[in-house]
Amino acid sequence: MVSANHKENQITVQKPDGQQATYDPKRLQGIAAYGEIKRDFAQGDRVQFTANNRELAVSNRDIGTIERIDANQISVKMDGSKAHTVTFDAAQMRHFDHGYAVTSHSSQGLTADRVLVNMDTKVHPELINTRFAYVSVSRASEDVRIYTNDSAVLGERLSADVTKTSAVEIQKAQVEPIHNQQTQTKEPPVTNSREHSQEELRRQILAKTNIHEPENIRTTADIEHRHNAPIQTALPNEASDYEWKRETGEVQSYQHNQAGNWLHIDSQGQFYDRQAQPITRETGLEQAGQASAHSLGDKAQMQSGSKDITDLGLGL
């Protein structure tokens, strides 16, 4: 690329013969952009191709081992059941790189005796999920080791299910009778949970791999405290009536044991609606059917002095 005109949305490129061409990327698609990076190679190095090449009969992310380097000519013995050797001019065929590590996506279809997986919870956390864990771990035929910066957080992230729901799937609302009435149970629209709790899924993944939980990183008690602290702070008298269900970012979701109503609270005591939008405490309690109970409960407590009110938090 020679220059870019951002105002006109045009790019000027120079062809191998020296001629220049200007075009609009919106009108001419299918162009691949590359950046040159200096690499050192030697005989015996593992390499991977980063683009398809019909003349060499190699595909993007194919892996091989350098057998010989003669000036610009490099001979690579390709991996696979039909192993063959390809020879190319490095000055002309530049789409290759070291092949000692590959991404989870490009490793699909590959098998190795031993696999080392790097899972950093702070780098692209949205990509760490059950699908990523399955593809990475299933590449090994004998042994797999996972290296991470935080095993506790990793266990929770790997329990995130990214499977898309089919258009024909319909979720049936659960209805429970309360005081001869039926209250429809609503679930938050955004959820990463599965049928098992996050803690159970975390333990299953840790049991299947070689991750060992350091005692000084995060314990089960720390996780339970993070899950239950918001509801205990917001509703100290009614916290036992709610059961923790799931965690979405910093927001904890709870469901009433009897009424089935939902509350969504973060660690700072901020309430949220089922669309993850901040709302006031009063609005949150009203949507959960708690407002009336609090009003009557406070009034009854003022009239009866120290008499305990045991039915706070039930929908009226």
Side-chain angles (χ1 to χ4, degrees), residues 103-246:
T103 63
S104 174
H105 177 75
S106 60
S107 71
Q108 297 185 59
L110 301 179
T111 302
D113 294 338
R114 298 176 63 250
V115 172
L116 306 178
V117 186
N118 177 46
M119 297 185 182
D120 192 334
T121 59
K122 295 183 179 179
V123 179
H124 298 298
E126 68 279 1
L127 300 181
I128 301 179
N129 47 55
T130 53
R131 187 175 301 171
F132 167 71
Y134 173 77
V135 173
S136 301
V137 175
S138 61
R139 298 308 94 195
S141 60
E142 296 182 5
D143 179 63
V144 58
R145 295 179 182 272
I146 295 178
Y147 295 87
T148 182
N149 60 309
D150 193 326
S151 61
V153 173
L154 176 64
E156 296 180 14
R157 294 277 173 78
L158 292 183
S159 66
D161 190 358
V162 294
T163 303
K164 294 183 179 180
T165 303
S166 171
V168 299
E169 293 181 329
I170 301 176
Q171 183 179 14
K172 295 182 180 180
Q174 298 178 351
V175 180
E176 299 179 358
I178 301 178
H179 297 290
N180 298 328
Q181 295 181 357
Q182 293 183 340
T183 302
Q184 183 176 359
T185 302
K186 297 181 179 179
E187 295 188 10
V190 180
T191 173
N192 284 334
S193 66
R194 304 175 68 182
E195 293 181 357
H196 302 287
S197 66
Q198 291 183 351
E199 178 63 16
E200 182 179 354
L201 287 171
R202 183 177 69 86
R203 292 183 180 277
Q204 292 178 0
I205 293 176
L206 293 178
K208 293 180 180 179
T209 61
N210 291 330
I211 298 180
H212 300 283
E213 284 187 283
E215 295 180 358
N216 61 343
I217 292 184
R218 189 170 300 179
T219 64
T220 301
D222 295 330
I223 297 176
E224 291 179 353
H225 175 75
R226 186 178 78 245
H227 289 168
N228 297 316
I231 188 69
Q232 292 174 351
T233 302
L235 300 174
N237 297 328
E238 298 86 2
S240 61
D241 295 334
Y242 284 84
E243 179 182 359
W244 179 88
K245 287 296 183 181
R246 57 182 59 89

Side-chain angles (χ1 to χ4, degrees), residues 268-284:
Q268 305 299 321
Q270 173 65 56
F271 283 69
Y272 295 83
D273 61 15
R274 62 190 303 269
Q275 302 298 331
Q277 298 298 318
I279 57 177
T280 63
R281 182 178 187 274
E282 292 72 17
T283 302

